[in-house]
Amino acid sequence: MIRKSLSVLLALLFALALLSSSAAAEDRTLHILFTHDMHSYLETAVSSEDGVRREHGNAARLATLIGENRTENTLVLDAGDFSMGTLFGAGYSTDAYELRMLGALGYDATTLGNHEMDFGGYGFASMLNAAAASGDPLPVFVQSNMVLTGELTDEQRAVRDAMENVGAVPYTILNAGSLRVAVFGLLGHDGVECAPTSGMAFTDYIQSAKETVAAIGDSADVIVCLSHSGTDGNGTSGEDIELAKSVPELDLIISAHSHTLYTEPVLSGDTVIVSAGEYANFLGSVTLRVDAQGKASVLSYELLPVDETVPEDPEIRALLERFKDEIRDGYLGGEDFDAVVARTPFDFPALDTLYAEHGENTLGNLIADSYLYAAREAGIDDIDVALAPLGTIRGTFGTGDITLANVFEVCSLGVGSDGSAGHPLVAAYVTGRELKLLIELDASAGPLVNSIKMSYAGLSYTFNTRRMLLDRVTDAALVRADGSREAIEDGRRYKLVCNMYAVNMLGMLNGLSRGLLSITPTDENGVPVTDFYAFALRDADGNEIKEWTALRDYLGSFPADDSGVPVVGEQYRDVEGRKVKVSEGGLAVLRSPGLATWLVILVPPVLLAVIAVPIAVCVRRRRKKRAGRA
């Protein structure tokens, strides 16, 4: 009987030991839910892929997914660019809706993306201070390579004080089960370059990562980097690949900025790199196991769709509605967030198509036309050309109703001199020679750089993709309101209207090309413009005309259907010949050659002559010497 009792006792002890061992193993796992590049998509957005309508975004659905997948070993992290993309961004500097929503969703940490700097350093500081003043729970804000010490400007001091106010730190140590997890944030080189108005200085992201890892030392079991740097998308190159190679101590990199979607984690040495795409399409989920030697390996990885199949969390839905009411009353002047502005009987091009294909597109035509409409409505009738940069288009329209929120989403970037969201429209002059150069840059460099691609109103041109770079445009002319074409004269000044991004880009070309490609926007007297905000279009009340409100008003000007809703005109169902791409070889490549083509034609023979003549002279001299000796 005693032996039997001892056997039972030993069996129980053995079972407890197994359970204890299993629990210990479980405690060595780390589960991370993550997002990045959400761009204010807190409410449902609709996209169409291969003709299939799909919903994405929506913080209330994201809350449900987080709640269903969170355990005591889970951390919820975001890698930046949580702002700028939808109407929630209208309250960025005053109400910090996006950062506060991350707190409401239970995020443990987030970091800085370049779009958090769209309102400049002062705007970023105001956002942080607004978030702190709200009293709402907030994620830990981690950022390690922004320079906040030493001799600072007033703007930099404002950011430093706001960072302290919100409790921002270079890194934080978070507990997940029995594991201590260090989390820090970085902004990579391209991210810094994409924030030219930040007013801030940043150290090299790789050097900062090395210093941060050294500071963390042995205080953590796992090191996670929220890196707003990005990769090329195929897992073989990019700033975060270089980061992993240079700082092998990193266990996990959540890679943002490039909007990459990895269906499988990328391994670089022992470092795991993950990305979950953009606009809250997915909630990323990765589980790591940490062995006794501290090495982390992937146990599981998946991307959880944030779509119509996920029910909404009622508390977050209520918070969203409160935020939307505040935007209606504070920014929209009483207009409803979801008010229907117009209706389209057809799809406009998807964003990926818009960026991938270089040529005319109907959405760009619509936006450029809205600039001219806004100028006319403001009493400005002497605009020659409207330029709409494709790089600032952030959304598109699908068949059906177009709401106020949809319109803002399409033109959501920028800020006015009044500090409110949205690029203002600006009017300035360029010469005919500069206008031709701008068109040539679009035709030649547009396929390589999305930010240079343009759509036009009042202008059309043809370009041959088989001709030399900077000599591809074969036919360009102004198109007047009556449809007539007018040649562009080199010495004449033409009045352009574009958004603030585009007009700044024109000025930046001088620096980028070191003066070789010079486009200098001026006033009507030819005096170079130094303050573009002074040339912003204004309405009858003196307010800046925003790009997105120009588009809203233009959509509202179309004839209405029986229900009283304006319907987009049929002229936007297809392209109109404003930007015609051809691919012609043979003599077409050499027809009416420009400077670039002449250089290619003439330089090789000139170089050959430069090389051949000295050689011929040398040979002749040697022959003479030999003849003399003979």
Side-chain angles (χ1 to χ4, degrees):
M1 185 70 177
I2 294 175
R3 288 181 180 177
K4 187 175 181 181
S5 299
L6 285 173
S7 299
V8 172
L9 180 60
L10 287 172
L12 286 172
L13 289 173
F14 182 73
L16 287 172
L18 286 177
L19 288 172
S20 176
S21 174
S22 175
E26 182 67 23
D27 284 343
R28 300 293 293 178
T29 62
L30 170 63
H31 180 217
I32 292 179
L33 300 172
F34 65 94
T35 54
H36 52 84
D37 299 298
M38 288 176 65
H39 288 290
S40 309
Y41 277 81
L42 306 183
E43 184 57 284
T44 301
V46 177
S47 60
S48 180
E49 187 172 340
D50 297 328
V52 178
R53 183 183 182 279
R54 182 177 175 272
E55 296 182 357
H56 63 93
N58 190 321
R61 290 172 175 165
L62 193 57
T64 298
L65 285 176
I66 290 172
E68 290 175 348
N69 291 276
R70 191 165 199 161
T71 68
E72 64 176 9
N73 286 17
T74 301
L75 296 178
V76 187
L77 306 174
D78 179 83
D81 270 6
F82 49 77
S83 59
M84 300 298 147
T86 73
L87 255 177
F88 290 101
Y92 175 76
S93 59
T94 56
D95 296 279
Y97 291 124
E98 298 95 338
L99 186 56
R100 289 165 61 195
M101 181 57 76
L102 292 183
L105 292 172
Y107 276 73
D108 295 290
T110 188
T111 192
L112 175 75
N114 54 287
H115 281 287
E116 271 71 74
M117 287 293 184
D118 278 4
F119 282 24
Y122 285 119
F124 175 60
S126 295
M127 184 274 292
L128 293 180
N129 288 328
S134 72
D136 292 346
L138 302 172
V140 180
F141 202 99
V142 290
Q143 217 298 320
S144 65
N145 67 323
M146 181 188 288
V147 178
L148 297 173
T149 58
E151 193 170 328
L152 304 176
T153 65
D154 290 343
E155 185 174 28
Q156 290 167 347
R157 281 193 292 272
V159 170
R160 177 200 61 194
D161 294 345
M163 294 278 273
E164 293 175 354
N165 187 27
V166 82
V169 289
Y171 71 90
T172 187
I173 304 294
L174 302 171
N175 293 318
S178 65
L179 294 173
R180 298 163 300 165
V181 183
V183 180
F184 72 102
L186 291 170
L187 187 63
H189 291 312
D190 190 70
V192 172
E193 291 176 2
C194 290
T197 62
S198 71
M200 304 305 295
F202 294 84
T203 59
D204 176 74
Y205 77 113
I206 289 178
Q207 183 59 37
S208 178
K210 291 178 179 178
E211 293 171 359
T212 303
V213 167
I216 292 169
D218 297 328
S219 61
D221 303 301
V222 180
I223 301 179
V224 177
C225 179
L226 306 179
S227 180
H228 204 85
S229 305
T231 71
D232 63 355
N234 60 22
T236 60
S237 63
E239 292 187 15
D240 281 327
I241 302 296
E242 295 304 312
L243 176 62
K245 292 177 180 178
S246 303
V247 192
E249 297 91 342
L250 301 178
D251 295 295
L252 177 68
I253 296 174
I254 298 176
S255 178
H257 183 56
S258 54
H259 293 211
T260 303
L261 183 71
Y262 283 133
T263 56
E264 296 292 337
V266 172
L267 290 179
S268 179
D270 290 333
T271 303
V272 180
I273 303 174
V274 295
S275 290
E278 61 190 8
Y279 306 154
N281 282 309
F282 297 95
L283 173 66
S285 173
V286 59
T287 302
L288 304 177
R289 169 162 289 170
V290 183
D291 64 21
Q293 287 72 43
K295 180 181 177 181
S297 57
V298 177
L299 281 182
S300 66
Y301 178 79
E302 62 180 325
L303 300 173
L304 307 171
V306 186
D307 60 17
E308 56 273 17
T309 65
V310 181
E312 293 188 347
D313 179 271
E315 290 186 11
I316 298 300
R317 167 47 57 192
L319 182 60
L320 280 172
E321 294 303 322
R322 179 160 67 86
F323 285 174
K324 289 165 68 173
D325 288 345
E326 291 176 6
I327 292 169
R328 176 197 63 205
D329 298 336
Y331 181 74
L332 298 177
E335 288 189 80
D336 191 68
F337 194 99
D338 300 310
V340 175
V341 174
R343 184 173 293 133
T344 172
F346 45 80
D347 287 342
F348 282 87
L351 276 186
D352 53 355
T353 302
L354 198 71
Y355 295 142
E357 298 178 359
H358 186 50
E360 182 183 356
N361 70 86
T362 55
L363 183 58
N365 288 351
L366 177 75
I367 294 171
D369 287 347
S370 76
Y371 295 178
L372 292 183
Y373 175 83
R376 288 194 300 268
E377 289 296 297
I380 304 170
D381 298 317
D382 58 345
I383 301 292
D384 294 298
V385 177
L387 307 177
L390 268 62
T392 59
I393 297 176
R394 310 296 286 188
T396 188
F397 300 131
T399 302
D401 290 344
I402 299 173
T403 67
L404 199 62
N406 296 151
V407 177
F408 187 90
E409 177 189 350
V410 170
C411 301
S412 57
L413 298 184
V415 61
S417 60
D418 56 359
S420 65
H423 279 304
L425 294 182
V426 179
Y429 291 82
V430 297
T431 67
R433 185 178 291 105
E434 290 173 326
L435 182 56
K436 290 178 181 178
L437 174 57
L438 175 64
I439 297 168
E440 191 60 71
L441 285 169
D442 178 19
S444 296
L448 306 175
V449 184
N450 280 330
S451 60
I452 294 178
K453 293 178 181 176
M454 294 279 179
S455 288
Y456 304 89
L459 174 74
S460 71
Y461 75 86
T462 300
F463 67 106
N464 186 348
T465 59
R466 299 182 69 176
R467 287 173 67 97
M468 289 299 302
L469 289 175
L470 298 182
D471 192 19
R472 291 188 168 177
V473 176
T474 57
D475 177 46
L478 299 178
V479 180
R480 297 306 187 183
D482 61 1
S484 62
R485 290 170 60 86
E486 181 181 310
I488 301 172
E489 301 174 25
D490 286 353
R492 181 178 167 184
R493 286 196 183 91
Y494 295 96
K495 193 171 186 179
L496 309 182
V497 62
C498 54
N499 67 20
M500 184 62 72
Y501 171 87
V503 77
N504 274 292
M505 184 187 70
L506 298 183
M508 286 190 297
L509 286 173
N510 298 340
L512 291 174
S513 65
R514 301 194 176 184
L516 294 176
L517 305 175
S518 178
I519 299 176
T520 304
T522 70
D523 64 12
E524 65 273 16
N525 298 314
V527 178
V529 176
T530 55
D531 179 12
F532 290 119
Y533 283 113
F535 288 77
L537 302 188
R538 296 186 179 274
D539 61 21
D541 298 322
N543 300 312
E544 289 177 341
I545 297 176
K546 305 285 190 181
E547 178 185 30
W548 81 270
T549 61
L551 180 57
R552 174 200 63 190
D553 295 344
Y554 184 52
L555 288 169
S557 72
F558 289 112
D561 60 14
D562 293 340
S563 64
V565 177
V567 178
V568 175
E570 284 295 315
Q571 67 266 35
Y572 296 106
R573 187 181 288 274
D574 202 356
V575 295
E576 301 175 357
R578 303 186 191 188
K579 191 173 176 179
V580 180
K581 178 170 65 174
V582 298
S583 182
E584 298 176 350
L587 293 177
V589 174
L590 300 176
R591 189 177 299 126
S592 301
L595 178 60
T597 300
W598 275 119
L599 287 174
V600 171
I601 294 172
L602 297 177
V603 166
V606 170
L607 286 176
L608 183 61
V610 169
I611 295 170
V613 168
I615 292 175
V617 170
C618 183
V619 169
R620 188 173 181 182
R621 285 176 180 173
R622 287 181 179 178
R623 286 177 177 173
K624 282 184 177 181
K625 286 181 181 180
R626 289 173 184 169
R629 284 197 295 268

